[in-house]
Amino acid sequence: MCYNSPPGKDVLTLLKSTFVLMQIHSSCSLKPYNTFGIDLPAAQLVRLMDEEELAPIGDLAQGTAPRVLGGGSNILLTHELKDLIVKNELKGINLLEENEQHTWLEVKAGEVWHDFVMYAIAQNLGGIENLALIPGCVGAAPIQNIGAYGVEVRQTIDEVIAWHWEEQRYLSFKNEDCRFGYRDSIFKREMKDRLIITSVVFRLDKVHCLNTSYGAVQQQLEIMGVSEASVKSVAEAVMAIRRSKLPDPKTLGNAGSFFKNPTITRQQFDSLCAHHPDLPSYPASEGQVKIPAGWLIENCGWKGYREGAVGVHEKQALVLVNYGGAKGADLYQLSEKILRSVLEKFDITLEREVNIW
Ligand code: EPU
């Protein structure tokens, strides 16, 4: 195999037996590869552009789990990384099957999520329109079961195909094998650090079943003067809402929701409501209530807070931001302070949604 790379001083070239061409960068900055815009180096970064390159990754990793990067929109870098970083750039969308109701598409993991949503809408295929504008790549979608405005990606996933880098073979996970939960799946648990997701098979709807249950989506459709919603208009409504309250990582470094919305017991919810009658809630499993972490954080006084280069977004308290030049460790410290104050005031332990690297 032949490991090759373009010229440049952050690049290493290796030669081996079979003929596979790979780009390997050494001591390169990860700043362009994470939406927080944290500037830390990686010892080695491989750009995975062809599935033929999967086998050599096992050799390169030298027994230590490689870290897989998609859009870098759900990570916080806190220290220099010694492990091999694999930037998943596998591309392609293939039509697998269709009938009168559905179309099955196999989408390679390195496709940009929002571009895929736009592709589906252009084909008039429904199911993922509420997930428009979520940053990141297709391969990351099943890992944290991305969700927004009443829809989770698990509702459209038929199968996830992944490469087990140690066993050197492909594994297939049907929907039920993925053990999806709220921002959760087998890929964050039992299969963590073992797999490189290569593609996701989606079952999309030709006969649409729109979800406009979320109040903000309904209101936005009214503002837009839409009387009969379509996959396109729902996506446009979602995009308008997201643009109005979530910062664009291209202009302000962030990783979306930094914490998950916590689930508490109905009993704890009732006693909190006695002091905070305006506490919002979402339905959860029996005897449980999910509450918005953004409300808890705002009510601890953090919304719009700024400390040097780090802060809490002024329109959505669940989003931590890098005003420019922030260190990952400073963002982590801020998240610690927020966790402590929510615990003290509400006796609720928040869990980070963002992966700490
Ligand atoms: N709220 C506040 N203050 C805030 C933010 C929120 O009081 O600063 C309260 C409001 O009552 C609001 C409620 O929280 O009505 C819900 O807020 P929002 O609709 O913004 O949703 P969220 O629960 O904060 C979740 C997801 C988002 C997703 C939205 C819309 C999580 C961790 N986050 O946020 O996902 O876009 O719902 O469905 O579940 C992401 O995961 O990165 C993400 C942005």
Side-chain angles (χ1 to χ4, degrees):
M1 114 197 33
C2 162
Y3 300 96
N4 200 3
S5 50
K9 69 173 170 9
D10 70 332
V11 160
L12 180 83
T13 307
L14 295 170
L15 283 170
K16 282 206 177 173
S17 55
T18 1
F19 210 78
V20 178
L21 218 57
M22 285 175 88
Q23 281 194 23
I24 306 171
H25 299 254
S26 60
S27 305
C28 71
S29 167
L30 289 173
K31 192 172 177 193
Y33 299 111
N34 73 100
T35 59
F36 259 127
I38 304 297
D39 191 4
L40 274 171
Q44 263 196 324
L45 180 141
V46 172
R47 294 178 61 192
L48 175 67
M49 291 188 269
D50 190 308
E51 290 183 44
E52 296 230 317
E53 298 165 353
L54 287 164
I57 282 171
D59 296 346
L60 282 168
Q62 296 183 328
T64 310
R67 290 176 186 257
V68 184
L69 256 184
S73 54
N74 206 36
I75 54 163
L76 174 63
L77 300 171
T78 56
H79 63 280
E80 195 176 326
L81 294 168
K82 302 274 178 243
D83 316 322
L84 177 70
I85 311 281
V86 177
K87 170 85 176 80
N88 195 329
E89 296 183 18
L90 298 173
K91 301 278 187 199
I93 302 180
N94 302 312
L95 172 68
L96 294 186
E97 197 184 325
E98 60 184 322
N99 62 23
E100 275 174 20
Q101 275 94 37
H102 303 292
T103 295
W104 283 261
L105 296 175
E106 183 189 13
V107 187
K108 294 292 175 192
E111 288 285 347
V112 172
W113 172 261
H114 179 69
D115 293 350
F116 169 52
V117 175
M118 292 294 104
Y119 173 92
I121 289 166
Q123 315 282 317
N124 201 25
L125 292 170
I128 51 175
E129 57 280 358
N130 294 43
L131 308 180
L133 266 193
I134 293 184
C137 288
V138 166
I143 300 177
Q144 56 152 355
N145 181 23
I146 57 171
Y149 307 104
V151 171
E152 285 184 339
V153 76
R154 69 160 143 191
Q155 294 163 250
T156 58
I157 289 181
D158 182 48
E159 185 183 2
V160 175
I161 300 158
W163 174 258
H164 195 301
W165 66 272
E166 250 179 328
E167 293 177 4
Q168 296 273 299
R169 65 188 176 108
Y170 283 100
L171 297 180
S172 154
F173 298 82
K174 294 301 283 182
N175 183 294
E176 58 280 14
D177 304 327
C178 297
R179 301 207 207 128
F180 289 122
Y182 165 61
R183 295 295 192 276
D184 199 20
S185 74
I186 194 169
F187 310 110
K188 280 177 100 170
R189 296 179 181 270
E190 293 90 331
M191 287 294 149
K192 187 172 162 43
D193 296 335
R194 290 168 200 252
L195 304 175
I196 298 171
I197 292 177
T198 52
S199 62
V200 182
V201 177
F202 294 89
R203 193 195 69 172
L204 299 180
D205 303 330
K206 285 183 175 175
V207 181
H208 304 149
C209 177
L210 302 175
N211 184 332
T212 55
S213 59
Y214 209 89
V217 175
Q218 274 173 19
Q219 284 159 20
Q220 185 59 37
L221 286 168
E222 275 167 35
I223 293 169
M224 288 159 46
V226 174
S227 52
E228 214 173 307
S230 63
V231 286
K232 189 162 179 279
S233 60
V234 170
E236 279 165 2
V238 165
M239 284 155 70
I241 301 166
R242 291 189 76 96
R243 286 197 177 108
S244 73
K245 59 180 189 179
L246 293 169
D248 179 353
K250 288 194 190 95
T251 49
L252 188 62
N254 77 90
S257 301
F258 198 91
F259 300 98
K260 288 191 194 182
N261 287 331
T263 301
I264 59 174
T265 61
R266 163 69 54 189
Q267 211 179 8
Q268 192 180 3
F269 178 72
D270 291 341
S271 73
L272 276 173
C273 276
H275 296 98
H276 308 281
D278 57 337
L279 176 63
S281 64
Y282 302 114
S285 52
E286 220 186 299
Q288 305 275 307
V289 180
K290 200 194 278 180
I291 49 175
W295 186 93
L296 298 170
I297 297 168
E298 179 175 346
N299 279 271
C300 286
W302 290 105
K303 198 169 184 173
Y305 174 86
R306 181 168 176 175
E307 185 182 302
V310 302
V312 177
H313 194 242
E314 55 191 8
K315 292 191 191 144
Q316 167 52 288
L318 201 45
V319 177
L320 303 193
V321 294
N322 171 8
Y323 284 102
K327 295 211 173 353
D330 294 339
L331 278 157
Y332 186 81
Q333 281 310 317
L334 174 59
S335 74
E336 277 291 305
K337 289 185 199 169
I338 293 171
L339 273 169
R340 275 201 299 273
S341 75
V342 169
L343 182 62
E344 270 164 33
K345 184 159 181 180
F346 295 106
D347 196 23
I348 293 173
T349 305
L350 292 181
E351 200 186 320
R352 292 179 183 87
E353 186 193 305
V354 166
N355 295 304
I356 310 299
W357 279 19

